[in-house]
Every structure is written in C-alpha cells, then in structure tokens.
Amino acid sequence: MLRQAVARARATGPQADSYVIAALTVAALFYGQALFIPLALAMLLAFAMTPGIAWLKRRGLPKTAAASFMLVVFLGLIAGAVGILATQTASLIEDLPKYERTLRDKIASIRGLGTASGSMDRAGETLKKLQDEIGDGDAASPVPPSPLDAGELKLSPQAGKQSSGANSEPSPSTPVPVEVRVPPMTPLQQLVAALKVVASPLASAGIVLLFLIFILIERESLRDRLIRVLGKDDVERSTTALNETAGRLSRYLAALFFLNLSFGVVVGLGLWAIGVPGAALWGLLAGLMRFVPFIGSIIAGVFPVLLAAAVDPGWTMVGLTLALFLITEPLMGHVIEPIVQGRATGLSMLAILIATAFWTLLWGPVGLLLAVPLTLVLVSFGKHLEPLAVFSFLLGDEPPLSPAEKFYQRILSGDAEDAVAQAEEHLEKMDLGEYYDAVVRGALNQAARDYERQRFDEAKLAAIKESVVEVADLLSERDDSEIGEGDDELPRPDVVCIGARTPIDDAGAHVLAHLLNESGISARVVNPGDWRGASQFSPRVVCVGAFSARHRIAYASRIAAKACRGAAIVSCHWAETEGEANESRRTGSSTEDVVSTFASAVQAVQTLLGPKIDKNTVAEPEKSAA
C-alpha cells in the first residue's frame, strides 16, 4: 500500500512528492522517538561540548583526551546537580511537617477573606436544608407497590421453609465490614519496585551517553558522512552549512547554559536572603527549568512561592519571593539575554511558538526542551541547502521580502503612501541616490521582467509607473513642476531624461530627473520615444534609459544622438550591473557613456557638464550646433 501511495504521489508531480516525504518523516520521528530522542539529546550535548573540546585542542591536548576530559566534566556536573537535588529534597521533606500548621492557618484565612463569606456560608446551609427536605418528601411520598416487594410475593411452602431461618441472617440493608490485609513487601520486592521506577530513565540516560561518546569520538567521520548525504557535488555549500550550523548551535547552547546558570545562582541567593528553605534546590531547579521555553520559569517559581506561604505566617515572604521571579525573569529574558545572544538563534518569535507546539505534540516534554535547538538547525541548513530553504524564510527572523521586493509589492498595490513611509525609514540610514539604486531600481527591474513574462498588461504597467513617479515627487525637495513633461514655457534644462520604450523606462527617467535636480542640475523628462520633443529643448546632455535588453538601449541611444545633435548621450541600461556596463563601454558602444545605476548616471552627467552648477540657479542652456 505504501508503494502504491508513493507511486500515485510521483504521478501528481514534485510538490506531492515533497508532501509525501514530509509526512513520512513526521511519522518516522513519532514512531521512532525511542531512537531519535536519545540521538537528538546526544547531538545537542556534543555541540555544547564542541567549544570546550576545541579550546583544549588548541592548548595541545589530543582529540581523544580533550573529548574524554569534557565528558568527565559533564558527568561531574550531572552528579553534582543530582547530589544537590537529593540532599536538599531530603532535608525539605523532613521539615515539611513543621509548616503544616502555618499552611492550614493561611488556607483558613484565605477562605475567610471577603465581606460576603458569611452570607455564602449561610446560603450554602440553606441550600443543604432544602435538599434534605426534598429528599425526605420523596421518601414519604407513596410509591407504587413493586411486584418484587417481599410483602406482595406469594411464596411456596418450600420457600417458606427456606425462609424460616431468615431471622438469624443479617438484613440485606445491614453493611458487612470487610477488612483487606496486604502482606508487607520484602526487601527484595521493594528493590524490584524501585528498579521498575528508575529503569526506563536510566536506560534512556545510558543510550544518550553511548551516543554521546560515539559522536565525540567519530566527529570528523560523521561530518564527512553528512557532507556526502547533503551533496558531494557541492562540497563547499555543504561544508559551509555544517560549519555555520555547528557554530551557531554551539554558541547558542553555551550562551544559554551560562545565562541559565547565572539565573539559577541569582534566584538561589535571592531565596536564601529572603529565608525560603532549600534555596540551593530552588535555584538549581530555576536554572534547569529555564531551558524549557515559555513555561519553564513559571513552573520553577510555583514551588518556592508555595513553600514561602507555608513557612511565613504573614505574607511578606510570599510577596518577596513572587517579586524576585517577576523581576529576574523579564530582566534576563528581555534585557540581558538579547544583549548577550543578539541574533544567535535567528528565529522569529512566531517560529519559536510553532516549533514548540510541534515538537511537544511529537515528542512530549522532551520535545518542548529540544524545540528551539532543532528548529535552529533546520533554519541554518535552509540558508544554504535548497531543499530546506522553506524552513529558512518561514521560521527565520530575517525579513521575508527584501526592501526592493517590499517596494515592488507596494507599487503593485498602488500604495504610494506606504512606499514613501518605507522610503523614509531607509533614508535615515542612506542618502537618496543609494535608496534609488538599492530599492527602486531593483523593484523596476522586477516589474520589467514580469511584464516580459506577460504577468500583467499595459494598463497595469502604466499604473506602476504612476506610483513610482508619485513616490519620487513626494521624496523630492524641489518644485515638481521643474521636472514636468513637455512644458515649453519652463526654462530649458541642461539635461533631458527619456525612457527608451515602456512606461517602466519612463519611471526610471523620472527617478533620474528627480535625482539630478536634487544635485543642482536642471533636468526634464519627455515621453518615451518622443525624440522630437527632446530635440526642442536643445539639451547639453540626453540620458536615455531602459530596463529591457541591451540592444534596445543601444538602438534608442543612436536615435537620440541623431535627434539631439551636439548633445552628449548617456546610455543608462538599468538592468545591467556596473561591471556589465563597463564591458559594454570597452566593446565599442556608439554612445559616449554607459551606466547602470542612478548614482553613476548623475556622476557621468556632472562630468560632461563640467563644474557643478549652483543648486539655487538654473543656467541658460547652450544652443547646440545645427
């Protein structure tokens, strides 16, 4: 049946194959958790020990000795933690009877709180009396005789003889006391019962330890095998993915360990100062439970607060204990941890919530503990390996869209206001020319590609152009009328910007004209292909721009050179990189200059015009030779 399902999935296409593989993977993780959970724990412990092993190796210690030393240190920490837990727990259990009276008094005081407590008690008593009266009335009401009533039965003589001794037997309504005696357990039985309780955790711990030893010893061999699995045809990418994942996970676990250790020490010292018994136990528990996301610190704080309520007859100790956790946990989680770790996880908060829910449903409490590290591994691999890329942009904290893609989405929607707000955020970190090149040019290139793929029609293309022009107008500090198309009454400009063919080319011309005017150079825009209109201005420089293929910009530049004789032509192929534009210049273009960015276009125009023109004056254009 499984083979038939896989065959049907292959027949429906590669997307169905991905769904089948994902379903089979989840099923394997669920049903094979007895194997995968110890393996995952061992791998995480190995990653946590990696920085220490590397440090020891740099000090000249052999690999095996370094791994053995770190393993001994780890086992020593575990033994110490277990010893503290056992000692503190035993001491606390011995002292619990002392606090019983205080706890009872506190519960009674809580029950007595409120002005309506007496009224509630009286209401409860009234309801109980009413219930008893209803019950008595039901008992006194006539009941139809049952054919099974002994008074109505006609018994045979044999039955009468058998019932003659009934007076000596107890009535059916008389309760018969029953005493159950359980023989005491022998020492051997007690040992077997204790072993049954600890056998499963000890077996799991032993498997984890075996996996950990194997991973530490065969670390290089396992890395090579993983590279072979990930793809030996691209060793560089697989190696980069493994190294980055190992580094990020090791740094995350090391930072988390020291942060949680510090949190436990602070909580333990605080509880000791407050006077809560077993402060070392609760501090250790707080540090350990903080490895569990979201609810770990809450669980760790419940027991000290309850114990403080049992120890102190008043409420001072309870308030101080509660305040200790309410202050230290937000301070650690929202202030210190982000400063120390920064973006160590690379996960968004939504991703952590989803991952926690998924792994908890899959593996239970252990999945809650492993959720963040396992998701971090998936996101890190997804940045370098194409099959896992979906985890990178779905669960990572990097923006799902680049600034150029976000701007393109806004102008597709005709939302110029939001596009301007986005631009103003970027302009706090870069100047206007850098923004036009990094964001707007990328968005217009994407629009040109989508138009060539026939994703939308001419009307949509014109709407995109209008949105870009509106954004450029709103970002400009100069009067927009200086850039208007085809108004002969305005002063003649030094530069004419013209798009080669499409409305997208026209949008690029408007952006360049805005940037030239901001630089103090008078520039105008004419409609795409309006070479006659361009020649009427007799400009000193003509900037011809296009987002289409290179041959189209070369053709448009030759027409511009014939129409505006004597004017310098700057060919702007916005779809090219700067290197491609330089290559076009070296291979003998017919234009005087070839650029690919708005900034380089402004620089080329400034070079052709000579000294920079004062921004507050507009020079009269020179008449070109007929």
Side-chain angles (χ1 to χ4, degrees), residues 153 433 508 598:
L153 288 176
F598 293 117

Side-chain angles (χ1 to χ4, degrees), residues 16-302:
D17 286 344
S18 302
Y19 294 151
V20 170
I21 292 173
L24 292 177
T25 302
V26 172
L29 290 173
F30 179 76
Y31 291 105
Q33 55 185 289
L35 171 66
F36 289 119
I37 289 178
L39 182 60
L41 287 171
M43 291 183 67
L44 291 180
L45 291 174
F47 279 119
M49 296 180 187
T50 297
I53 294 174
W55 184 83
L56 292 173
K57 288 172 65 177
R58 287 195 297 269
R59 298 300 183 275
L61 202 64
K63 179 186 70 173
T64 304
S68 302
F69 179 79
M70 289 300 301
L71 187 61
V72 170
V73 170
F74 169 71
L75 293 177
L77 291 174
I78 295 296
V82 171
I84 293 174
L85 286 172
T87 304
Q88 293 287 314
T89 303
S91 175
L92 189 62
I93 291 175
E94 292 179 0
D95 294 338
L96 279 179
K98 303 177 184 178
Y99 312 133
E100 182 180 359
R101 180 62 184 173
T102 304
L103 191 59
R104 288 179 179 273
D105 294 342
K106 194 153 293 185
I107 293 174
S109 65
I110 293 174
R111 294 180 60 185
L113 290 177
T115 57
S117 58
S119 301
M120 294 297 294
D121 292 340
R122 288 192 296 272
E125 293 177 1
T126 302
L127 290 175
K128 186 176 183 303
K129 290 180 180 180
L130 182 60
Q131 182 180 2
D132 293 340
E133 291 178 1
I134 294 173
D136 294 341
D138 291 342
S141 61
V143 179
S146 171
L148 297 180
D149 193 349
E152 299 293 332
L153 288 176
K154 295 181 180 180
L155 301 177
S156 62
Q158 291 83 3
K161 291 178 182 180
Q162 291 177 1
S163 62
S164 60
N167 294 330
S168 63
E169 296 181 0
S171 172
S173 61
T174 303
V176 179
V178 178
E179 183 179 359
V180 180
R181 294 183 179 180
V182 179
M185 297 178 65
T186 63
L188 181 59
Q189 291 175 334
Q190 293 178 357
L191 178 62
V192 171
L195 288 177
K196 287 181 178 179
V197 174
V198 300
S200 180
L202 286 177
S204 300
I207 295 173
V208 171
L209 184 60
L210 288 176
F211 278 143
L212 178 60
I213 295 172
F214 176 77
I215 292 172
L216 292 176
I217 295 176
E218 299 292 333
R219 181 171 175 269
E220 285 77 10
S221 176
L222 288 174
R223 180 189 58 194
D224 296 340
R225 295 176 187 276
L226 280 175
I227 291 175
R228 176 66 181 268
V229 171
L230 295 175
K232 66 176 183 177
D233 296 333
D234 197 350
V235 177
E236 185 275 332
R237 178 174 294 184
S238 301
T239 303
T240 302
L242 279 177
N243 291 340
E244 182 178 326
T245 302
R248 290 179 62 184
L249 190 58
S250 298
R251 290 191 298 271
Y252 166 73
L253 293 174
L256 190 64
F257 172 77
F258 286 109
L259 286 172
N260 293 350
L261 178 64
S262 303
F263 180 77
V265 170
V266 171
V267 169
L269 292 175
L271 293 176
W272 173 78
I274 294 171
V276 178
L281 170 65
W282 306 125
L284 178 61
L285 181 64
L288 292 176
M289 290 303 297
R290 209 174 173 280
F291 283 95
V292 181
F294 302 114
I295 63 173
S297 298
I298 298 175
I299 296 175
V302 169

Side-chain angles (χ1 to χ4, degrees), residues 36 40 75 82 135 148 185 208 246 257 285 365 383 415 480 485 519 542 552 564 566 612:
F36 289 119
L75 293 177
V82 171
L148 297 180
M185 297 178 65
V208 171
F257 172 77
L285 181 64
K383 290 184 177 180
D415 192 355
D480 298 337
E485 299 177 353
S519 302
V542 177
R552 289 178 179 170
C564 304
K612 185 176 180 181

Side-chain angles (χ1 to χ4, degrees), residues 188-529:
L188 181 59
Q189 291 175 334
Q190 293 178 357
L191 178 62
V192 171
L195 288 177
K196 287 181 178 179
V197 174
V198 300
S200 180
L202 286 177
S204 300
I207 295 173
V208 171
L209 184 60
L210 288 176
F211 278 143
L212 178 60
I213 295 172
F214 176 77
I215 292 172
L216 292 176
I217 295 176
E218 299 292 333
R219 181 171 175 269
E220 285 77 10
S221 176
L222 288 174
R223 180 189 58 194
D224 296 340
R225 295 176 187 276
L226 280 175
I227 291 175
R228 176 66 181 268
V229 171
L230 295 175
K232 66 176 183 177
D233 296 333
D234 197 350
V235 177
E236 185 275 332
R237 178 174 294 184
S238 301
T239 303
T240 302
L242 279 177
N243 291 340
E244 182 178 326
T245 302
R248 290 179 62 184
L249 190 58
S250 298
R251 290 191 298 271
Y252 166 73
L253 293 174
L256 190 64
F257 172 77
F258 286 109
L259 286 172
N260 293 350
L261 178 64
S262 303
F263 180 77
V265 170
V266 171
V267 169
L269 292 175
L271 293 176
W272 173 78
I274 294 171
V276 178
L281 170 65
W282 306 125
L284 178 61
L285 181 64
L288 292 176
M289 290 303 297
R290 209 174 173 280
F291 283 95
V292 181
F294 302 114
I295 63 173
S297 298
I298 298 175
I299 296 175
V302 169
F303 299 103
V305 170
L306 292 177
L307 185 59
V311 172
D312 186 14
W315 295 96
T316 304
M317 186 178 291
V318 177
L320 292 175
T321 305
L322 189 60
L324 175 66
F325 280 93
L326 291 178
I327 293 174
T328 54
E329 168 55 27
L331 183 65
M332 178 66 72
H334 300 288
V335 179
I336 300 176
E337 190 170 346
I339 293 175
V340 174
Q341 287 191 342
R343 293 169 56 118
T345 60
L347 304 178
S348 65
M349 185 56 65
L350 179 61
I352 294 176
L353 287 171
I354 295 174
T356 301
F358 173 79
W359 290 106
T360 304
L361 289 174
L362 198 66
W363 285 353
V366 180
L368 182 65
L369 180 65
L370 299 177
V372 175
L374 291 176
T375 309
L376 188 149
V377 171
L378 288 175
V379 170
S380 184
F381 276 141
K383 290 184 177 180
H384 301 280
L385 304 177
E386 188 64 29
L388 300 177
V390 62
F391 294 109
S392 179
F393 65 81
L394 282 181
L395 302 177
D397 61 351
E398 295 182 356
L401 296 177
S402 66
E405 292 170 337
K406 289 178 66 176
F407 182 84
Y408 182 45
Q409 190 275 329
R410 301 305 188 271
I411 61 175
L412 275 177
S413 304
D415 192 355
E417 182 179 354
D418 197 7
V420 170
Q422 174 192 341
E424 290 174 346
E425 293 179 3
H426 288 284
L427 290 176
E428 295 177 358
K429 305 175 184 177
M430 60 180 70
D431 60 33
L432 187 61
E434 291 174 339
Y435 173 75
Y436 279 149
D437 278 322
V439 178
V440 178
R441 188 167 66 91
L444 291 176
N445 267 307
Q446 190 167 352
R449 288 193 297 269
D450 287 345
Y451 175 68
E452 291 177 358
R453 297 169 187 165
Q454 298 181 350
R455 300 286 179 85
F456 42 72
D457 54 12
E458 293 281 350
K460 187 65 175 178
L461 202 65
I464 292 174
K465 174 252 180 179
E466 293 298 331
S467 297
V468 173
V469 172
E470 183 179 356
V471 172
D473 290 341
L474 293 173
L475 293 177
S476 177
E477 297 179 358
R478 293 178 64 90
D479 186 4
D480 298 337
S481 62
E482 299 179 11
I483 309 173
E485 299 177 353
D487 191 348
D488 295 331
E489 296 180 359
L490 293 174
R492 292 187 176 181
D494 289 303
V495 181
V496 166
C497 300
I498 182 171
R501 189 171 65 93
T502 67
I504 295 297
D505 300 338
D506 191 24
H510 274 83
V511 170
L512 179 58
H514 276 281
L515 198 55
L516 287 170
N517 279 276
E518 292 294 322
S519 302
I521 300 172
S522 59
R524 297 290 305 280
V525 177
V526 298
N527 292 322

